[in-house]
Structures are given as structure tokens and as C-alpha cells.
Amino acid sequence: MVEREAPDLLALQELRGFDRRRIGMLADSLGMTAHLAPSVFGQAVAVLVRRPRRIERARSVTWRLHHAAAAVRVGPLTVVSTHLDPRSAYRRYREATWLAARYRRRGQVLIAGDLNSCSPADDPDPAEDRSDPRAIDALDRAGLIDLWRLAGIGPGTTVPTGGGVGDAFGPMRLDYVFGTPAVVPRVREVRVLRGGEIEYASDHYPVVVELMPGNS
């Protein structure tokens, strides 16, 4: 699926068992360069960048988050791959607040990943423990834009997938790409990929953001 879609930038989460050597091998097989952020308590995350683009700056956040965050700068664009706490709504709120404060004033930024939270704009089932709105509200209040709400095309739910791997979820949107106001003019469309091997490759569907050309 990744080979077929050939993204220029790829944010990955739930990289159980991945170290820098293994992510490097994966990236090389795709013609990309990787930055991996290991996790102290959970699972690693990463950002992959298609060559000949270069990672000009890379940072890892491993101690403020249950999982981690990996941030890379490519030209004027910073991409942050993250994964919020899977169990505690309050911890997700704290994590989202910290991420928003860190990146909201850094020019063109995308924050992408499994936020384990429903957007209040999606009218989630209040009985679902991920319906607590505080994490998404924290990003909204910081001035970050939910790019699906801005430019989404087609169905937006990202769980469950088919193939028997997504049975832990009811239909909802847990995976997001948020952008700073500086990146919004470049956003052309946002799609959730479905079908084929995607149905059994993961318990989440991938989200694709298409950007108009910039200086990156």
C-alpha cells in the first residue's frame, strides 16, 4: 500500500519492536529516510521522508507522552507523528495541550497520528470512552485546524477496518492531521484510504493529506 501510494512524507505509529536499524531498513526499501522516536512506556513512532528530500532537523519526545512524538523539518514544513494515551482521557488532554503549546507557533506544521479521541464535531456516542472531547478541544483552542473538517472527501471514520483486525472499535474517527494556520493554504484535500490489503494491514485506516507545492 505504501509503495502504491508513494507518499512524500509518512507518519507511522504503533511501531512495536522497531529500532533504528529496523526502521532504517523499511525506509530504504521504500526509497525514504526515517526518523524514529522510541517510547519509554508504549510504542515507537516515526516520520519517513522520500528522497531526495532531506530531513533538515529531527527531534524526539519520549518522556511527556505515553507513546512518543517524532518531529522532522523538511524545508519550511515540520511534520509531527504522535500517538496519544490509549487509556486515560485526562492524559490525552495533557498530551494534546503540551503538543499544541510546543508547535502552534512554528510556521507550517502538521501534527498527525492516532489521537485516541473523538472530535465533538463528529457527534460521538457518549458511552464510548474515547468520546471525551478535551484532547481535541485543546488542539482547537490552540488555533490548530482539523484538516479533515477543512478539506475531507468521502467517509472520515478511521476505525474499525475489515479483515477481523478492527473489532475493538465501533465506527469512529480517531486518526487526525492537524495543521497550523500557516500550512492551511497548501491543503488541497484529505482522504481516508480503504479497501484491498488496507482492510487487514492494521486496525486503523490511513489518512492522506494532499498539499499543494510549496518551498519544500
Side-chain angles (χ1 to χ4, degrees), residues 40-190:
V40 175
F41 303 109
Q43 299 179 48
V45 302
V47 179
L48 278 62
V49 177
R50 185 164 302 282
R51 304 181 186 116
R53 293 171 178 83
R54 295 186 306 107
I55 296 176
E56 298 173 10
R57 184 175 182 180
R59 292 289 183 270
S60 299
V61 179
T62 59
W63 59 277
R64 284 188 177 270
L65 307 173
H66 174 82
H67 290 292
V72 305
R73 189 177 71 195
V74 181
L77 182 66
T78 296
V79 178
V80 182
S81 175
T82 193
H83 188 179
L84 300 191
D85 193 289
R87 300 181 185 89
S88 169
Y90 176 70
R91 289 176 182 169
R92 291 194 290 271
Y93 160 70
R94 291 287 301 270
E95 291 172 340
T97 299
W98 185 85
L99 287 165
R102 183 177 179 90
Y103 292 107
R104 64 180 179 170
R105 293 192 178 97
R106 298 202 177 188
Q108 297 183 31
V109 179
L110 299 175
I111 298 176
D114 177 0
L115 303 189
N116 271 313
S117 302
C118 297
S119 168
D122 294 341
D123 192 24
D125 180 354
E128 167 58 54
D129 66 356
R130 289 174 174 82
S131 66
D132 188 297
R134 287 176 291 178
I136 304 303
D137 280 346
L139 297 167
D140 287 337
R141 287 197 306 271
L144 298 171
I145 293 91
D146 177 353
L147 299 186
W148 172 260
R149 303 295 301 176
L150 176 75
I153 295 174
T157 55
T158 62
V159 296
T161 55
V165 297
D167 297 341
F169 303 102
M172 65 186 84
R173 185 166 66 108
L174 298 181
D175 303 87
Y176 297 79
V177 182
F178 274 83
T180 55
V183 81
V184 162
R186 295 183 58 189
V187 177
R188 178 173 288 152
E189 67 177 41
V190 182

Side-chain angles (χ1 to χ4, degrees), residues 182-205:
V183 81
V184 162
R186 295 183 58 189
V187 177
R188 178 173 288 152
E189 67 177 41
V190 182
R191 294 175 287 119
V192 178
L193 299 182
R194 306 173 192 278
E197 71 273 33
I198 295 171
E199 298 296 332
Y200 53 82
S202 171
D203 58 349
H204 292 244
Y205 289 114

